[in-house]
Amino acid sequence: MQSINKKAISRIYGRGRGWAFSPNDFVEDFSRDQIENALSGLCREGKIRRIYRGIYDYPKFSELLQQELSPDFDQVAQAFARKFNWRIQPSGDAALNLLGLSTQVPGRLVYLSDGPNRQYDIGNYTLEFKKSALKDVGFKYRASGLIVQALKALGQERVDDTVIAMLSKQLDDAVCKRVLKDTVTATGWVYETIKRVCGGRG
């Protein structure tokens, strides 16, 4: 049992603080009983944290506050998606937050999903998965969907030079090339904005 705990924690530590996961992330190497027992034990030892039934994280720690920080909502969403084999796409405020266009973490974070409608209350926020048409979650690259959803959440009238500059800074030439090809089916003004963000780098 000790060696299973050691193997599990070594993989968790390897992912770094903030990583969220479920037993499903380990079933290739361990039986379900083994990994569930190991994760329960690591939880009791305070090495990992249980944040929802069947979902854990390796919490980030604030030296300044001398306490564990809230779970990383995007990591948690991805852990749910892997657990249930959903494809997901951050929507609205979640997309804005991940791209640094909003620093407020809203109380409700919505992800589009090709799975069923579900919502989970985690700490101070609600994580909601909304069943959506595949075209909304079907981009090949995560960056593509993130930018499309953030622009839609802002709305055309709120996209100014500052927003363009902030997005542009986050994309290198290779990503621009992939995103431009990937989002060609996006709404007219959204695609035109992405072309401005990439500024001829595609």
Side-chain angles (χ1 to χ4, degrees), residues 128-144:
E128 184 180 348
F129 294 95
K130 273 174 122 163
K131 185 168 180 59
S132 296
L134 270 182
K135 67 180 173 60
D136 288 329
V137 290
F139 292 112
K140 196 169 173 188
Y141 301 106
R142 179 176 160 81
S144 306

Side-chain angles (χ1 to χ4, degrees), residues 88-90 95 99 135-152 167 171 174-186 190-191 194 198:
I88 62 168
Q89 177 60 61
L99 286 168
K135 67 180 173 60
D136 288 329
V137 290
F139 292 112
K140 196 169 173 188
Y141 301 106
R142 179 176 160 81
S144 306
L146 205 49
I147 291 169
V148 168
Q149 291 302 324
L151 291 174
K152 281 183 177 175
L167 287 173
L171 305 180
V175 172
C176 268
K177 192 172 280 191
R178 289 200 296 263
V179 167
L180 279 168
K181 198 176 281 188
D182 203 19
T183 56
V184 76
T185 55
V190 171
Y191 192 63
I194 293 171
C198 285

Side-chain angles (χ1 to χ4, degrees), residues 38-51 56:
L39 294 179
S40 293
L42 293 170
C43 240
R44 281 194 301 274
E45 291 166 28
K47 289 181 175 167
I48 61 172
R49 171 173 64 181
R50 182 174 178 270
I51 47 181
Y56 302 83

